């Protein structure tokens, strides 16, 4: 099988992984994301209750006030890609944003899926390939990353970004595999704890108040004499204990503490000091002197908390209020200002929004996210020992560290590029690439071939590669629409392009199949398999490799947009459907075949639709591409138009 290769493998398709992949690719690297989950970005899709609170519209100072662990470490990455940059980036990807209470930023659509899709689309535009495969190990030699190992083989690479996330929400694929891989390479992983999570309490009465939400209370937690947490806000009771915004924050602050050493209480009336509250109690009691004690607290407490407080106060519920003693009133006062809770644990990994703890940031360069132990290894996102409050801070960490890692990994490749071909004087040779994309029947192959001949470049017909895979499926009886079957077939398929007397030939498992791939049946099969991401990923490196080593005129559907996004000359060769259909119709007649112009036109329009609407690498004009419409041109004119454009763009 053809050895699989990429410049950079990003392990984990979450927000940190996608961001790293996008920025590495934008900086010239060939990037592959490997994720074992069925769908990428699963946790992002369910974040913020499916709305995705992707960052916090705050200043740098406010940002760091909300980071529990790793603030110093995050400074450099945040300064280069902080909340405002993330917002600009997302809006630039076509996701309009809005800021809500607590400066929380959401997509205007309230759909986390829109954020996920924008990242997926951008990665695809940048030429990133995504495979659904589990990475088991990162391989190194002489202290550098050389490959990653999957259950079905190796993927050679020069850098790896480990972005597998933490341990929270294991159902989304975050099972903590990355910690083990990092440990195997010598990294220290500090103990991990569920954070931003509900807390369990010993008090049985919590379940009585289950579902009750308290607004404007103060929650305080102390360890011996030291106050660890004291904040005012909202919390609620659950069947097992407490939850809600205040509690989530508290859980992060006390992550890793021994609950037995903690003393926790709620101040139910934080805006009244004890004296003022006592006066208020006295006044209420005078006004309601003839009521039973249990019926006198309606103004003071929410309904479901009244029986709890009455019981804890030890005052007879049926006693008349005027019979309540001063000592009893004091006890009531004490409960309102200091309602004790005994924390016993947390709601666990299935509930935790984030992981506290992880790869020690001491062993990671804060500017690059590069490992200080292994060259070519980068770490990003929740796997790092850095975490923050709810409100978009943790996703900000993922985006910031992903951005830093992606850019640095791409830079690392340039710094010491053992694969780059050097010319005699030691300078890098820059190869010229002309990318020609366009719909079927626009004359791409004829024009590209002629242009290559005149310029002395090699002509690469990438359609032949898809045709070879299509042929392989047909020969092996694999259903061309069975993605998994085709994907399996790839593990025993080798496709190669060779040049015999200046002519491209395509080889399938060592056999020259250049003639056999030109049938209608193979065309159909090629069209089906070319819509499959695994097939596109499989063929990508081969195409890029050819362009790295040769001056090429390469034709296809996604050459300018995906395969060679850095090509200096990108041409979109097209003609009206009618003109293209007429050319094809005449061609068939010349071959002596029976043909119907209307049927040919219909066929062509269907293919156009499929090519431009498929999910992966759809046919379209690259942002920096030039459209050449050959409707009014003859062959000679079309060739001239392409060569003139190429010479101008390449400066040759
Ligand atoms: O250009 P062609 O007809 O030989 O291409 C065969 C199929 O492969 C066609 O259905 C489009 C597809 N293809 C592709 O998806 N991307 C390319 N770069 C080249 C071809």
């Amino acid at each position: 099988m053809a050895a699989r290769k990429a410049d950079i493998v990003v392990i984990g398709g979450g927000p940190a992984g996608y961001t790293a992949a996008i920025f590495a690719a934008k900086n010239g690297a060939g990037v592959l994301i490997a994720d074992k989950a069925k769908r990428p970005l699963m946790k992002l899709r369910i974040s913020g209750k499916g709305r995705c609170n992707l960052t916090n519209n705050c200043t740098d100072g406010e940002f760091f006030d909300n980071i529990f662990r790793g603030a110093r470490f995050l400074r450099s990455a945040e300064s280069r890609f902080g909340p405002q940059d993330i917002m600009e980036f997302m809006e630039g990807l076509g996701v309009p944003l809005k800021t809500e209470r607590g400066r929380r930023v959401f997509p205007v659509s309230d759909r986390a899926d829109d954020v996920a899709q924008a990242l997926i689309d951008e990665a695809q535009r940048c030429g990133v390939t995504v495979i659904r495969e589990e990475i088991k190990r990162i391989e190194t030699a002489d202290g550098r990353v050389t490959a990653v190992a999957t259950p079905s083989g190796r993927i050679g690479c020069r850098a790896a970004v480990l972005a597998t996330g933490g341990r929270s929400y294991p159902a989304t694929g975050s099972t903590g595999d990355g910690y083990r891989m990092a440990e195997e390479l010598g990294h220290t992983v500090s103990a991990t704890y569920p954070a931003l999570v509900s807390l369990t309490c010993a008090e049985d009465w919590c379940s009585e108040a289950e579902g009750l939400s308290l607004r404007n209370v103060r929650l305080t937690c102390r360890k011996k004499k030291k106050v660890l947490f004291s904040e005012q806000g909202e919390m609620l009771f659950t069947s097992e204990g407490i939850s809600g915004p205040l509690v989530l924050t508290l859980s992060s602050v006390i992550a890793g503490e021994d609950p037995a050493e903690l003393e926790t209480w709620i101040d139910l009336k934080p805006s009244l000091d004890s004296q003022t509250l006592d006066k208020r109690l006295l006044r209420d009691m005078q006004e309601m002197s003839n009521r039973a004690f249990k019926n006198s607290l309606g103004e003071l407490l929410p309904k479901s908390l009244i029986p709890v407080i009455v019981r804890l106060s030890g005052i007879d519920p049926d006693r008349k209020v005027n019979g309540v003693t001063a000592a009893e009133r004091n006890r009531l006062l004490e409960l309102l200002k200091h309602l004790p809770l005994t924390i016993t644990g947390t709601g666990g990994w299935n509930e935790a929004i984030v992981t506290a703890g992880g790869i020690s940031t001491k062993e990671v360069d804060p500017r690059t996210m590069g490992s200080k132990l292994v060259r070519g290894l980068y770490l990003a996102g929740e796997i790092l020992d850095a975490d923050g409050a709810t409100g978009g801070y943790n996703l900000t960490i993922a985006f910031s560290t992903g951005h830093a890692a992606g850019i640095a990994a791409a830079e690392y490749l340039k710094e010491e590029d053992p694969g780059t071909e050097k010319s005699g004087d030691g300078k890098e040779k820059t190869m010229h690439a002309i990318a020609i994309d366009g719909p079927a029947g626009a004359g791409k192959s004829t024009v590209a071939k002629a242009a290559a001949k005149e310029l002395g470049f090699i002509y690469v017909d990438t359609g032949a590669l898809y045709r070879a895979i299509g042929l392989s499926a047909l020969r092996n009886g694999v259903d061309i629409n069975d993605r998994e079957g085709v994907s399996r077939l790839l593990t025993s398929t080798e496709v190669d392009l060779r040049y015999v007397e200046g002519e491209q030939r395509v080889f399938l498992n060592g056999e020259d199949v250049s003639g056999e791939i030109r049938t209608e049946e193979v065309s159909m099969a090629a069209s089906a398999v070319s819509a499959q991401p695994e097939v596109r990923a499989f063929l990508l490196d081969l195409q890029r490799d050819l362009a790295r080593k040769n001056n090429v005129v390469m034709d296809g559907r996604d050459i300018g947009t995906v395969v060679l996004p850095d090509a200096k000359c990108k041409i979109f060769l097209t003609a009206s459907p009618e003109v293209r259909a007429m050319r094809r119709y005449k061609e068939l007649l010349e071959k002596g075949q029976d043909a119907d112009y209307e049927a040919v036109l219909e066929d062509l329009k269907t293919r156009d639709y499929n090519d431009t609407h498929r999910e992966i690498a759809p046919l379209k004009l690259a942002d920096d591409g030039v459209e050449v419409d050959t409707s009014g041109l003859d062959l000679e004119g079309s060739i001239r138009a392409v060569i003139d454009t190429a010479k101008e763009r390449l400066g040759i």
Side-chain angles (χ1 to χ4, degrees):
M1 152 188 185
R4 290 193 293 170
K5 273 194 304 205
D7 289 338
I8 302 173
V9 174
V10 175
I11 310 171
Y18 263 87
T19 309
I22 288 168
F23 284 95
K26 278 182 192 280
N27 282 276
V31 188
L32 183 148
I33 299 177
D35 194 302
K36 65 182 179 184
K38 241 193 193 131
R39 267 180 105 190
L41 294 159
M42 269 317 284
K43 200 171 142 191
L44 182 92
R45 291 175 199 276
I46 60 164
S47 72
K49 301 200 170 76
R51 296 205 300 136
C52 188
N53 173 198
L54 58 120
T55 190
N56 192 282
N57 193 350
C58 64
T59 62
D60 290 351
E62 288 162 338
F63 176 78
F64 290 108
D65 288 345
N66 285 280
I67 299 300
F68 300 125
R69 277 154 287 259
R72 247 163 66 117
F73 171 78
L74 293 170
R75 253 173 219 285
S76 168
E78 196 272 346
S79 72
R80 280 170 294 143
F81 200 62
Q84 304 304 323
D85 308 293
I86 294 166
M87 289 164 65
E88 203 175 299
F89 172 63
M90 270 300 155
E91 298 218 302
L93 296 186
V95 182
L97 303 174
K98 60 180 172 181
T99 301
E100 294 191 356
R101 198 162 57 97
R103 306 180 304 247
R104 290 166 192 246
V105 177
F106 293 91
V108 169
S109 67
D110 284 328
R111 285 165 41 97
D113 277 344
D114 292 352
V115 177
Q117 197 56 45
L119 289 171
I120 290 170
D121 290 345
E122 177 68 355
Q124 193 185 322
R125 271 192 296 273
C126 294
V128 173
T129 47
V130 183
I131 58 167
R132 190 183 153 195
E133 230 168 309
E134 183 174 1
I135 303 299
K136 293 283 193 194
R137 211 173 50 253
I138 299 169
E139 295 183 2
T140 59
D142 300 329
R144 290 163 197 270
V145 170
T146 54
V148 295
T150 79
S152 64
R154 300 166 76 242
I155 303 174
C157 61
R158 288 168 39 225
V161 180
L162 192 53
T164 46
R167 288 189 209 279
S168 55
Y169 289 127
T172 61
S174 299
T175 47
D177 305 347
Y179 299 124
R180 176 188 48 75
M181 287 191 256
E183 270 177 334
E184 283 170 3
L185 295 174
H187 274 277
T188 311
V189 178
S190 56
T192 53
Y193 302 95
L196 296 181
V197 64
S198 66
L199 294 170
T200 53
C201 296
E203 283 73 18
D204 286 341
W205 59 259
C206 287
S207 63
E208 257 177 82
E210 183 181 353
L212 169 67
S213 170
L214 299 175
R215 276 165 210 275
N216 257 320
V217 295
R218 176 171 285 276
L219 182 65
T220 303
C221 178
R222 198 163 66 180
K223 180 183 177 180
K224 301 201 176 107
K225 287 260 157 358
K226 190 174 170 214
V227 174
L228 299 180
F229 177 86
S230 185
E231 276 184 29
Q232 208 162 311
E234 204 176 320
M235 61 177 285
L236 57 89
F237 294 97
T238 69
S239 60
E240 311 263 325
I242 52 177
S243 190
L246 278 178
V247 175
L248 296 187
T249 309
L250 172 62
S251 75
S252 287
V253 172
I254 62 169
E257 298 285 355
D258 176 2
E261 293 184 357
L262 304 176
E263 195 192 339
T264 310
W265 67 90
I266 308 171
D267 180 349
L268 293 164
K269 297 287 164 196
S271 53
L272 304 176
D273 62 26
S274 293
Q275 251 184 340
T276 319
L277 181 59
D278 194 36
K279 275 191 203 143
R280 155 106 192 254
L281 286 179
L282 255 177
R283 199 188 62 214
D284 284 2
M285 287 181 162
Q286 278 159 2
E287 276 172 17
M288 293 183 265
S289 59
N290 273 325
R291 284 210 202 161
F293 174 59
K294 66 178 181 194
N295 296 329
S296 71
L297 301 171
E299 301 264 311
L300 212 54
L301 290 170
K303 213 165 147 209
S304 53
L305 213 52
I306 294 174
V308 174
I309 298 291
V310 168
R311 197 166 63 246
L312 293 175
S313 74
I315 304 170
D316 177 357
D318 296 313
R319 173 109 54 88
K320 285 263 166 55
V321 168
N322 58 18
V324 172
T325 67
E328 285 170 332
R329 195 182 74 237
N330 246 334
R331 223 157 46 225
L332 174 62
L333 178 70
E334 172 70 9
L335 280 175
L336 295 176
K337 293 295 286 179
H338 198 287
L339 177 63
L341 285 166
T342 315
I343 294 170
T344 53
T346 77
W349 292 118
N350 287 331
E351 265 190 36
I353 295 175
V354 78
T355 308
I359 294 179
S360 167
T361 51
K362 289 199 187 93
E363 296 158 355
V364 181
D365 180 337
R367 203 181 56 79
T368 61
M369 299 297 135
S371 160
K372 291 181 181 170
L373 311 178
V374 180
R375 290 187 58 77
L377 175 64
Y378 295 81
L379 305 123
E382 201 179 326
I383 193 168
L384 289 162
D385 184 4
D387 64 294
T390 51
Y393 301 101
N394 288 293
L395 271 171
T396 303
I397 296 176
F399 290 125
S400 291
T401 56
H403 171 265
I407 290 178
E411 285 303 314
Y412 166 77
L413 300 178
K414 289 179 198 161
E415 262 168 43
E416 39 189 303
D417 188 353
T420 312
E421 305 205 351
K422 311 256 167 138
S423 58
D425 58 6
K427 285 203 193 111
E428 271 182 32
K429 251 199 280 182
T430 335
M431 291 299 174
H432 292 301
I434 300 171
I436 303 188
D437 293 306
K444 289 190 304 293
S445 63
T446 320
V447 169
K449 229 184 261 180
K453 198 163 174 207
E454 175 158 339
L455 296 169
F457 288 14
I458 66 164
Y459 164 59
V460 184
D461 160 22
T462 61
L465 298 169
Y466 293 92
R467 288 173 178 269
I469 304 283
L471 176 66
S472 179
L474 293 174
R475 280 185 174 178
N476 288 285
V478 173
D479 176 354
I480 53 173
N481 292 309
D482 169 13
R483 212 172 129 178
E484 287 203 8
V486 172
S487 187
R488 230 178 349 248
L489 178 68
L490 294 177
T491 61
S492 59
T493 301
E494 192 176 337
V495 177
D496 203 5
L497 290 183
R498 290 183 212 161
Y499 288 81
V500 181
E501 291 167 7
E503 184 85 8
Q504 173 186 294
R505 313 292 299 177
V506 58
F507 287 75
L508 174 64
N509 296 328
E511 175 194 347
D512 186 344
V513 292
S514 312
E516 216 177 316
I517 57 170
R518 298 291 160 195
T519 66
E520 234 0 78
E521 196 187 10
V522 176
S523 291
M524 293 306 298
S527 173
V529 299
S530 71
Q532 298 166 17
E534 295 79 8
V535 172
R536 304 204 75 85
F538 181 79
L539 296 174
L540 190 63
D541 284 330
L542 172 60
Q543 299 170 75
R544 285 188 176 157
D545 227 39
L546 280 165
R548 210 172 3 237
K549 297 187 180 136
N550 305 280
N551 291 323
V552 293
V553 180
M554 192 177 278
D555 86 16
R557 304 294 188 281
D558 62 339
I559 309 305
T561 50
V562 175
V563 179
L564 306 176
D566 292 330
K568 292 243 163 41
C569 176
K570 298 177 183 174
I571 292 172
F572 192 80
L573 199 72
T574 187
S576 71
E578 290 72 21
V579 168
R580 288 185 283 128
M582 186 50 77
R583 289 178 187 161
R584 179 80 184 130
Y585 171 67
K586 283 186 180 158
E587 213 175 87
L588 290 171
L589 291 186
E590 271 165 30
K591 280 189 193 162
Q593 292 182 20
D594 222 9
D596 167 19
Y597 170 77
E598 287 303 326
V600 171
L601 179 62
E602 238 359 84
D603 229 37
L604 197 118
K605 284 184 173 168
T606 310
R607 275 229 266 167
D608 281 359
Y609 184 88
N610 289 344
D611 283 351
T612 50
H613 287 78
R614 70 181 173 208
E615 215 164 287
I616 182 162
L619 171 66
K620 64 179 175 197
L621 172 66
D623 291 340
D624 51 349
V626 184
E627 184 172 300
V628 175
D629 190 325
T630 65
S631 302
L633 299 174
D634 60 6
L635 188 57
E636 202 42 48
S638 306
I639 295 169
R640 272 280 45 96
V642 167
I643 291 176
D644 290 349
T645 309
K647 284 187 169 169
E648 186 205 318
R649 287 258 163 160
L650 300 177
I652 53 174

